[in-house]
Amino acid sequence: MTATQEMNIQELERAWMDEAIRLATTSVANGGGPFGALVAKGAEVVAIGHNQVTSTLDPTAHGEVSAMRAACKELNTFSLEGCVLITSCEPCPMCLSSALWARVDRIVYAADRHDAAVAGFDDLKFYDLFELKPKSNWPTRVEQLDLPNRNAPFDAWLAKTDRIDY
């Protein structure tokens, strides 16, 4: 990649970030949360999203997830390989995991988890939970119920000759 191409990409990403921040700010004005995101492929924006948790009563309707859902529909695929996720704030663990599952090439964010915590969005406790605390200290009990048929769904999956691997 030439220096000019890299500079053009940086300019595009700054413009996209401005759009993500605008989406987040508009979301607040319209009763949503302060998070906006977009998915771009090449030099084109594929889809946008903003936080809709309270407006849709869906705790998974974060800006990043909303943008990725829309991008997958637009591209008619569950894989966002070749795409970049631009988001107004560092993705929470759920959004980060979703982006990893979607296989985006890159994630670019503006505000970080500490900025979000100051605004009352304490994702830090979730990051800490996964990074520092053993399951025995989690606020919600997570436990395995070991049944003899626990692998039946996986056995069916592996036996399915026309499955679509992901």
Side-chain angles (χ1 to χ4, degrees):
M1 182 180 302
T2 69
T4 302
Q5 288 172 319
E6 190 170 317
M7 200 164 132
N8 289 340
I9 289 172
Q10 289 173 349
E11 288 174 17
L12 260 178
E13 288 181 353
R14 286 183 185 276
W16 291 338
M17 186 61 73
D18 284 340
E19 175 65 5
I21 292 168
R22 187 195 65 75
L23 287 165
T25 305
T26 301
S27 178
V28 172
N30 293 328
F35 303 96
L38 62 85
V39 174
K41 187 168 188 172
E44 300 296 321
V45 173
V46 175
I48 61 173
H50 62 89
N51 184 282
Q52 302 173 54
V53 170
T54 57
S55 62
T56 63
L57 305 178
D58 178 355
T60 67
H62 291 201
E64 299 92 333
V65 171
S66 297
M68 288 185 287
R69 285 176 179 159
C72 287
K73 285 182 183 177
E74 180 66 26
L75 296 172
N76 196 33
T77 182
F78 57 83
S79 174
L80 295 177
E81 288 184 60
C83 295
V84 59
L85 175 63
I86 306 286
T87 180
S88 63
C89 186
E90 181 178 8
C92 73
M94 178 189 71
C95 293
L96 178 59
S97 296
S98 297
L100 294 172
W101 271 111
R103 294 171 178 83
V104 298
D105 285 4
R106 291 177 50 237
I107 300 168
V108 181
Y109 64 89
D112 67 16
R113 62 181 83 173
H114 304 286
D115 299 319
V118 169
F121 294 90
D122 198 3
D123 296 349
L124 286 173
K125 64 184 175 187
F126 297 127
Y127 279 101
D128 290 347
L129 177 71
F130 295 123
E131 293 173 2
L132 304 174
K133 293 184 180 178
K135 285 183 183 176
S136 60
N137 292 337
W138 287 13
T140 301
R141 284 182 26 189
V142 178
E143 53 192 44
Q144 181 181 21
L145 178 59
D146 189 10
L147 297 176
N149 63 342
R150 72 176 188 262
N151 286 320
F154 298 124
D155 295 339
W157 172 256
L158 291 171
K160 185 174 175 58
T161 58
D162 63 342
R163 71 180 180 263
I164 299 173
D165 289 326
Y166 65 96

